[in-house]
Amino acid sequence: MTQTTRCGFAALVGAPNAGKSTLLNRMAGAKLSIVSPKAQTTRFRVLGILMRGTSQILLVDTPGIFKPRRKLDRAMVAAAWNGSDDADITLLLVDARSGLTEAVQEIITRLAQTGRTTWLVLNKTDLVPASALLPLTAAITEKLPVEHVFMVSARTGGGVEDLLDKLAASLPEGPYLYPEDDLTDLPDRLLAAELVREQIFMQTHEEVPYGTTAETESFQERPDGSVRIEVTIYVGRTGHKAILIGNGGQKIKMIGERARKQLASLLERPCHLFLNVKERSGWDEERARLRAIGLDDVP
């Protein structure tokens, strides 16, 4: 007797810093999406492929939805909504500490108009009193019909197993779309650039991370099984270049070393990573730069 298999897409949608990337990594059991304490870290759709029993859950991490100003911003928000539009289930992730902010209300309004299957996932519930959760749930579900409500902590893993079990049981019946041992559809070249960009977020402060992008220029397999990777970091201002390089090149060396270790762990082989910093004013309005980081062009 053949077992029934299920397969489908679940999109994580929410305001910046709701914890979407942390939850994706927790659910997948591996680091697929970069995480930092700063908002708007994720810039494009990241797919996590997760086997749960006889179900293949395709988790889509999307950029945080906010009011766009630059072409980069518009492309990020478009990627977020495209991720939701294509999904079987939309998981609306709300930071339980921040509650019903203006950004969350705007997302709720848009979701209500689409009529798509939506589950409410309250995150960071370990950081707020339990008495605050029911009123917040009531306030959200009054504005948006949701099928299920989950209370989770992406940081500790609390409630995540229940969410995964329900997803596995609720996805449509059908064949798997990806090999069972795949973790993500993210190309290694893009993964390398993203891990460099994550370290820029972690090692620099204020506006610097938002004024930079990273692109993999070269990804060469070597005869000894290792890989040689060259990544260019584009910055919008001269001052940002100086901050990134640091005194005597110490900052860029640290960024490269930490990104290399994570990349070697994910690719499961030695990596030789070389970073180059270039000043390029207006990169966040260039079509080629946006395509290079996995974003579709927008007007």
Side-chain angles (χ1 to χ4, degrees):
M1 181 179 171
T2 57
Q3 285 185 308
T4 300
T5 60
R6 294 178 180 272
C7 181
F9 291 87
L12 290 160
V13 171
N17 255 10
K20 296 181 296 299
S21 297
T22 304
L23 183 59
L24 171 77
N25 293 341
R26 171 69 68 176
M27 292 166 86
K31 179 149 190 184
L32 303 179
S33 196
I34 73 171
V35 176
S36 93
K38 301 178 175 72
Q40 298 166 33
T41 309
T42 302
R43 282 181 176 163
F44 56 89
R45 182 195 70 88
V46 176
L47 182 71
I49 302 161
L50 175 63
M51 297 304 302
R52 189 85 170 176
T54 56
S55 296
Q56 187 175 71
I57 305 171
L58 305 175
L59 295 165
V60 185
D61 181 23
T62 62
I65 296 170
F66 60 101
K67 284 194 172 79
R69 295 189 306 276
R70 307 169 292 173
K71 178 174 277 215
L72 169 66
D73 299 340
R74 294 193 295 277
M76 286 165 62
V77 172
W81 285 119
N82 288 343
S84 172
D85 291 345
D86 296 339
D88 297 287
I89 297 169
T90 295
L91 302 175
L92 171 60
L93 197 65
V94 176
D95 182 338
R97 290 184 306 177
S98 304
L100 200 54
T101 62
E102 182 183 344
V104 173
Q105 294 199 53
E106 289 182 8
I107 294 168
I108 286 172
T109 300
R110 171 85 177 253
L111 283 175
Q113 291 168 352
T114 66
R116 296 194 172 278
T117 300
T118 304
W119 296 3
L120 173 61
V121 182
L122 293 183
N123 189 27
K124 307 181 187 179
T125 54
D126 55 318
L127 303 176
V128 297
S131 58
L133 297 174
L134 282 179
L136 176 57
T137 302
I140 293 171
T141 54
E142 186 181 324
K143 301 172 185 291
L144 176 70
V146 300
E147 277 197 358
H148 302 287
V149 179
F150 294 87
M151 313 280 184
V152 308
S153 168
R155 184 178 63 87
T156 67
V160 172
E161 293 296 312
D162 290 341
L163 173 58
L164 284 170
D165 285 342
K166 192 66 178 177
L167 274 175
S170 302
L171 292 174
E173 291 183 9
Y176 300 149
L177 295 179
Y178 292 89
E180 293 182 46
D181 57 353
D182 277 9
L183 275 178
T184 182
D185 67 343
L186 202 62
D188 290 345
R189 294 175 66 96
L190 206 49
L191 191 61
E194 279 295 276
L195 289 174
V196 169
R197 200 167 63 83
E198 177 180 45
Q199 287 306 316
I200 295 170
F201 267 88
M202 302 304 287
Q203 307 303 328
T204 62
H205 303 289
E206 303 309 325
E207 78 280 7
V208 177
Y210 302 105
T212 62
T213 188
E215 290 181 27
T216 301
E217 305 281 359
S218 169
F219 195 101
Q220 298 176 327
E221 308 279 350
R222 291 164 52 117
D224 62 2
S226 67
V227 61
R228 186 184 193 279
I229 307 162
E230 293 180 23
V231 173
T232 295
I233 301 166
Y234 290 104
V235 299
R237 298 180 190 172
T238 306
H240 290 175
K241 183 174 181 178
I243 292 170
L244 266 181
I245 293 173
N247 290 335
Q250 286 302 305
K251 182 71 74 176
I252 197 70
K253 183 179 178 183
M254 181 190 295
I255 288 169
E257 185 64 22
R258 294 192 178 184
R260 184 192 62 74
K261 285 181 179 176
Q262 293 213 340
L263 196 55
S265 173
L266 273 173
L267 299 182
E268 298 181 328
R269 54 184 163 158
C271 295
H272 309 278
L273 179 63
F274 300 88
L275 303 183
N276 184 24
V277 184
K278 291 184 181 178
E279 185 181 347
R280 195 179 184 113
S281 179
W283 68 262
D284 51 2
E285 296 288 343
E286 292 181 35
R287 291 181 178 181
R289 299 284 77 74
L290 301 188
R291 283 198 298 269
I293 59 173
L295 286 168
D296 294 327
D297 191 28
V298 292

